[in-house]
Amino acid sequence: MMILPSSFLWLVSYGISVQAFTITTHNQQLVNARRSIMSDGGRVLSLLYGQASSSSSPLEAILWDMDGVLADTERDAHRPAFNVAFQEYNLNTEWDVERYGKLLEVGGGKERMTAHWNEVGWPEEFPQDEDTPSRQDRVKELHLRKTDIFNDMIQSGNVPLRPGVLRLIDDAIASNIRLAVCSTSSEKAVRNLVQTLMGPDRASKFEIFAGDMVTKKKPAPDVYLMAVDKMGLDKTKCVIVEDSHIGLGAAKAAGIACIVTKSTYTAGEDFTGASMIVD
């Protein structure tokens, strides 16, 4: 296991060469990542990913989680968006930073609300009787409103990408490495963040796979398996970037190497089995 102290994985200074290094994945394959800098100080070049052999083959695709990886959205965007939606629906519910951190152990916003109210009791505004919409219908409705609030926050420009993200993406595009976002968030939220924070040119290079496109969310591998299937990828030539043990679990279940970059809520989690951890 290699643990690199850095503000973001693969973020290196221009003009400084980085030697090739080898890491061992959870399935004992060897990953060879070679990084170099162009002599004109332009782009970080070719991340090469190979199996346990003397030759390495080019990295085919980077599959990104969104929340906590592309942007540190959980504490300062998703959580406030939930709280605004709760206020609009006159619900006696507010998630502070600590409570929301605990709820992140549950993948998916609708699932998170359900888990919370199953634990503390359901709001009286969400009765369970034959004359009113079901609780899950109300949760879906509430989550749609929360997504709209979240998207407004993203479009306001108050939630930046994490340092180094655009640089690595530009590098990948220049090296013909395919890109996808594989998130438990809704497709609408994922597309909005990618379009707004990366711009239309970069966004056009991304495939989007989201939580409302699969039956089971992370830590199930469904969203990553969908990406591999729809994009026609070779798992041994892909790498997943995650920030949580739930996401790492999904990557491991999918049989794809995973690099973890810690985020606000996940610094203390157990990342056993990750190919690399960026502190």
Side-chain angles (χ1 to χ4, degrees), residues 86-104:
F86 296 154
Q87 291 174 0
E88 290 184 356
Y89 276 68
N90 296 313
L91 304 178
N92 186 26
T93 300
E94 182 175 0
W95 290 342
D96 61 21
V97 171
E98 183 178 359
R99 176 59 177 166
Y100 190 71
K102 178 67 175 176
L103 289 169
L104 286 176

Side-chain angles (χ1 to χ4, degrees), residues 82-154:
F82 275 113
N83 286 336
V84 171
F86 296 154
Q87 291 174 0
E88 290 184 356
Y89 276 68
N90 296 313
L91 304 178
N92 186 26
T93 300
E94 182 175 0
W95 290 342
D96 61 21
V97 171
E98 183 178 359
R99 176 59 177 166
Y100 190 71
K102 178 67 175 176
L103 289 169
L104 286 176
E105 295 176 7
V106 179
K110 295 184 289 291
E111 294 81 358
R112 212 163 284 148
M113 287 188 282
T114 299
H116 171 75
W117 286 320
N118 279 343
E119 179 182 340
V120 305
W122 283 79
E124 60 183 20
E125 292 83 359
F126 285 11
Q128 186 78 315
D129 58 58
E130 296 179 358
D131 298 326
T132 60
S134 73
R135 283 176 173 170
Q136 287 309 308
D137 287 340
R138 297 297 304 277
V139 166
K140 290 177 183 178
E141 175 189 333
L142 181 59
H143 191 259
L144 287 173
R145 177 57 188 143
K146 174 263 170 184
T147 298
D148 288 340
I149 296 166
F150 173 83
N151 283 335
D152 288 344
M153 290 179 174
I154 296 300

Side-chain angles (χ1 to χ4, degrees), residues 39-59:
S39 58
D40 63 0
R43 300 179 185 277
V44 181
L45 292 178
S46 63
L47 300 171
L48 300 180
Y49 176 92
Q51 299 181 47
S53 64
S54 58
S55 64
S56 61
S57 55
L59 176 66

Side-chain angles (χ1 to χ4, degrees), residues 13 32 41 73 89 103 108 124 145 154 179-181 222 225 255 271:
S13 299
N32 297 315
T73 51
Y89 276 68
L103 289 169
E124 60 183 20
R145 177 57 188 143
I154 296 300
L179 301 169
V181 179
D222 298 33
L225 296 178
F271 296 118

Side-chain angles (χ1 to χ4, degrees), residues 21-276:
F21 58 88
T22 302
I23 51 180
T24 305
T25 69
H26 59 273
N27 59 3
Q28 299 305 303
Q29 291 175 321
L30 294 180
V31 179
N32 297 315
R34 182 182 305 147
R35 297 180 286 183
S36 60
I37 309 303
M38 292 179 65
S39 58
D40 63 0
R43 300 179 185 277
V44 181
L45 292 178
S46 63
L47 300 171
L48 300 180
Y49 176 92
Q51 299 181 47
S53 64
S54 58
S55 64
S56 61
S57 55
L59 176 66
E60 184 177 13
I62 304 173
L63 309 180
W64 302 78
D65 178 40
M66 182 180 81
D67 298 306
V69 173
L70 295 178
D72 210 349
T73 51
E74 294 291 9
R75 185 185 67 181
D76 298 324
H78 282 295
R79 185 185 64 85
F82 275 113
N83 286 336
V84 171
F86 296 154
Q87 291 174 0
E88 290 184 356
Y89 276 68
N90 296 313
L91 304 178
N92 186 26
T93 300
E94 182 175 0
W95 290 342
D96 61 21
V97 171
E98 183 178 359
R99 176 59 177 166
Y100 190 71
K102 178 67 175 176
L103 289 169
L104 286 176
E105 295 176 7
V106 179
K110 295 184 289 291
E111 294 81 358
R112 212 163 284 148
M113 287 188 282
T114 299
H116 171 75
W117 286 320
N118 279 343
E119 179 182 340
V120 305
W122 283 79
E124 60 183 20
E125 292 83 359
F126 285 11
Q128 186 78 315
D129 58 58
E130 296 179 358
D131 298 326
T132 60
S134 73
R135 283 176 173 170
Q136 287 309 308
D137 287 340
R138 297 297 304 277
V139 166
K140 290 177 183 178
E141 175 189 333
L142 181 59
H143 191 259
L144 287 173
R145 177 57 188 143
K146 174 263 170 184
T147 298
D148 288 340
I149 296 166
F150 173 83
N151 283 335
D152 288 344
M153 290 179 174
I154 296 300
Q155 290 177 334
S156 72
N158 292 327
V159 182
L161 291 172
R162 290 185 68 180
V165 169
L166 286 183
R167 183 169 160 192
L168 179 56
I169 287 170
D170 287 343
D171 240 20
I173 293 171
S175 301
N176 294 316
I177 296 170
R178 300 176 71 185
L179 301 169
V181 179
C182 301
S183 172
T184 58
S185 288
S186 68
E187 182 181 2
K188 183 177 180 181
V190 177
R191 290 192 183 279
N192 180 59
L193 185 143
V194 172
Q195 286 276 353
T196 302
L197 301 187
M198 297 187 190
D201 291 342
R202 293 186 184 94
S204 68
K205 304 296 184 181
F206 276 85
E207 299 284 346
I208 303 297
F209 303 96
D212 51 5
M213 299 170 66
V214 293
T215 302
K216 295 180 180 179
K217 297 181 180 180
K218 301 174 188 178
D222 298 33
V223 72
Y224 287 122
L225 296 178
M226 174 181 281
V228 169
D229 180 58
K230 297 293 185 182
M231 296 173 69
L233 301 174
D234 181 345
K235 289 183 184 182
T236 68
K237 298 179 182 179
C238 299
V239 65
I240 289 169
V241 187
E242 276 284 358
D243 74 308
S244 70
H245 73 281
I246 287 178
L248 173 60
K252 290 167 64 177
I256 302 173
C258 182
I259 295 175
V260 171
T261 174
K262 296 181 181 180
S263 62
T264 300
Y265 276 116
T266 66
E269 292 185 359
D270 180 7
F271 296 118
T272 301
S275 301
M276 183 190 297

